[in-house]
Amino acid sequence: MNQQTATITRTNEQLTFDKPSVEDGSAMWDLVNNSSLDQNSPYKYIMMCEFFSETCVVAKEDGKLVGFVTAFIPPERSDVIFVWQIGIDASQRGKGIASKILNELVERQDGSEVRYLEATVTPSNDASQSLFKRLARDNKTTCTITECFPEKLFPGDEHEEELTFRIGPFSKEKSPELNK
């Protein structure tokens, strides 16, 4: 994990990419609430901002939250950063913000033990599948897809199985793609 204590802000065109603050939690929840993403409690978003700010990224345009990623390093797998959720405001989709947020997240791990990024994705989520495959391609590494959570683990009949997308290993040399 990046050992710097100061907040780092990167600007890309009119967007800023930064660590979230607890004040961002409500806007993250609102963004998810107005989308088709799985809704978590407002507390989850505030908690992620407070306790996992080093592994989460917010994208803002003119100070307004337009995208985010929540992620964490699993306690027993310090070489992995696990992406819990990515949210992009409907008005911003198709602009490559999700890719930029993920690249910011990966770049922020430079100097840590993290060599892989993992996420779970349902088989019907073509956009997320493309996003993670593109992250692997842009970083000249592999994307391995394996079974993770079968459909039968989820209550009710409304949740598909989840597949694990494992991207890496990431080179410790900075990729030119990360600077876009």
Side-chain angles (χ1 to χ4, degrees):
M1 196 178 316
N2 190 337
Q3 297 300 315
Q4 295 177 344
T5 56
T7 300
I8 297 171
T9 303
R10 296 192 197 286
T11 303
N12 188 313
E13 297 163 11
Q14 298 178 355
L15 293 176
T16 59
F17 299 91
D18 208 347
K19 296 177 189 176
S21 69
V22 292
E23 290 79 15
D24 292 320
S26 178
M28 293 161 76
W29 184 83
D30 284 339
L31 189 153
V32 171
N33 198 37
N34 293 315
S35 74
S36 62
L37 293 170
D38 286 346
Q39 183 70 56
N40 294 284
S41 73
Y43 176 70
K44 178 261 183 182
Y45 298 99
I46 294 168
M47 183 184 70
M48 293 298 292
C49 294
E50 175 68 14
F51 298 113
F52 298 96
S53 65
E54 288 286 335
T55 56
C56 297
V57 178
V58 291
K60 294 181 180 179
E61 183 177 60
D62 299 323
K64 178 184 182 265
L65 188 131
V66 296
F68 70 88
V69 62
T70 54
F72 60 91
I73 298 172
E76 296 181 11
R77 298 173 55 212
S78 60
D79 66 335
V80 172
I81 189 157
F82 182 84
V83 171
W84 182 327
Q85 192 172 45
I86 298 174
I88 304 298
D89 186 85
S91 69
Q92 301 295 316
R93 293 198 187 121
K95 297 180 179 180
I97 294 174
S99 290
K100 292 172 185 173
I101 289 174
L102 284 179
N103 282 324
E104 172 66 21
L105 178 65
V106 169
E107 184 175 319
R108 197 184 290 169
Q109 304 315 305
D110 190 43
S112 75
E113 294 179 41
V114 171
R115 305 261 340 244
Y116 297 91
L117 181 141
E118 291 183 359
T120 60
V121 180
T122 58
S124 66
N125 189 337
D126 295 332
S128 289
Q129 289 187 34
S130 294
L131 174 67
F132 291 114
K133 289 174 183 175
R134 183 172 42 254
L135 179 68
R137 192 172 49 251
D138 288 350
N139 285 278
K140 296 178 177 61
T141 193
T142 60
C143 177
T144 306
I145 304 166
T146 58
E147 291 181 0
C148 184
F149 300 122
E151 203 171 315
K152 68 182 180 184
L153 291 179
F154 297 97
D157 296 329
E158 299 176 17
H159 201 293
E160 294 178 80
E161 70 174 318
E162 294 277 348
L163 304 172
T164 297
F165 280 61
R166 180 176 171 92
I167 296 96
F170 289 101
S171 168
K172 291 300 178 178
E173 296 176 22
K174 294 201 189 268
S175 166
E177 294 298 321
L178 296 178
N179 296 321
K180 286 187 177 178

